[in-house]
Amino acid sequence: RELAQRVRAAYNKRYWNAEQHCYRSRNDSGELRSYAETPNVLAVAFGLVPEGEGDAVMRSVDEDIVARGNHLGTGVYAGRYVMNLLGDYGHADTAYAVAANTGFPGWGYWLENGLSTMAEGWELSSRSWDHHYWASVSSYFIQSLAGIRQASPGYGHILIKPCPPKGLEWAKAELEAPQGTIKSAWKRAQNRLVLDVQIPRGSSAEIHVPGAARAAAEPAGVEFLRLEG
């Protein structure tokens, strides 16, 4: 823990830009280099960001992605986290726009060009067409769109936190945990969002209802915990 705090302090001392509320590096002459998404995404993912600055950092990431025409500007290391983080910090529409984008680079570009597996890189000339590098989009489907996440090892405690984007009418997913099947499904119906969740016996769950101060209908046995945002 002490080492982690020293690394955090050293990283922020060198790269944190308090004026712009994001991470920027400088060249040897002290001039700011171009903005880069990766150091900002990883800083949020690993808890390096100064207290209360997470929203601002992810806003800078979101703005850069949108400026790129809804294409990611990260490599695979930050690509593992960026889609879920966008949803967590209020940019679910951007994450979905990236996932559905059929231009280069992106998963949709692969589909438009006939790939049914994942390539090593975005280029169709990639040496491997059976690679795990960009498979993070699969966890985005489950963890962000449907919102199934483990809150403790082995899904003893479960977090259901879907991030519904504009342009998508429904999503559903299920996951086999040691205790049984976890299901999360939502759909838009008559100006409402209907959320259907199944939690296996022996597990507990915290369920976030997006876009509402309080669920319009709560099943028996559910306890209201808090309001966020």
Side-chain angles (χ1 to χ4, degrees):
R1 188 176 296 111
E2 290 174 359
L3 175 60
Q5 290 302 323
R6 290 202 304 272
V7 170
R8 183 174 185 264
Y11 188 80
N12 286 336
K13 181 179 180 180
R14 180 163 183 171
Y15 297 114
W16 176 248
N17 189 308
E19 293 180 358
Q20 299 183 8
H21 301 277
C22 64
Y23 289 88
R24 299 285 298 270
S25 62
R26 297 180 181 272
N27 59 25
D28 293 338
S29 61
E31 297 173 335
L32 281 175
R33 292 191 174 97
S34 299
Y35 176 88
E37 293 175 19
T38 292
N40 287 278
V41 171
L42 292 178
V44 175
F46 294 130
L48 302 179
V49 180
E51 190 72 27
E53 293 284 3
D55 285 323
V57 174
M58 285 309 300
R59 191 180 309 118
S60 74
V61 174
D62 175 74
E63 290 171 352
D64 195 68
I65 291 172
V66 172
R68 293 171 179 268
N70 292 321
H71 292 290
L72 295 182
T74 71
V76 292
Y77 298 115
R80 177 180 177 184
Y81 306 100
V82 64
M83 298 289 282
N84 288 337
L85 287 177
L86 284 169
D88 288 348
Y89 283 87
H91 307 291
D93 294 348
T94 299
Y96 181 62
V98 170
N101 199 328
T102 58
F104 177 86
W107 296 280
Y109 174 75
W110 286 345
L111 293 172
E112 285 290 295
N113 284 276
L115 271 70
S116 58
T117 55
M118 294 197 181
E120 183 176 3
W122 296 124
E123 297 82 3
L124 299 179
S125 59
S126 293
R127 59 182 179 176
S128 168
W129 279 17
D130 186 13
H131 224 81
H132 73 283
Y133 268 4
W134 287 105
S136 54
V137 71
S138 299
S139 62
Y140 160 71
F141 291 152
I142 296 171
Q143 296 178 11
S144 190
L145 289 183
I148 301 176
R149 309 182 190 196
Q150 61 173 345
S152 70
Y155 293 90
H157 187 53
I158 301 160
L159 177 64
I160 303 293
K161 190 177 182 180
C163 300
K166 292 180 181 177
L168 192 63
E169 293 301 307
W170 60 271
K172 62 180 179 179
E174 60 181 66
L175 188 149
E176 293 299 326
Q179 295 84 354
T181 303
I182 304 168
K183 294 183 179 180
S184 175
W186 59 264
K187 63 180 179 181
R188 303 184 194 276
Q190 299 177 343
N191 294 322
R192 285 190 173 186
L193 187 89
V194 181
L195 179 62
D196 186 15
V197 175
Q198 175 180 308
I199 302 300
R201 190 182 303 273
S203 293
S204 60
E206 180 173 299
I207 301 171
H208 290 239
V209 181
R214 183 97 181 236
E218 298 173 359
V222 168
E223 175 189 358
F224 179 77
L225 295 178
R226 65 186 180 277
L227 177 65
E228 293 182 354

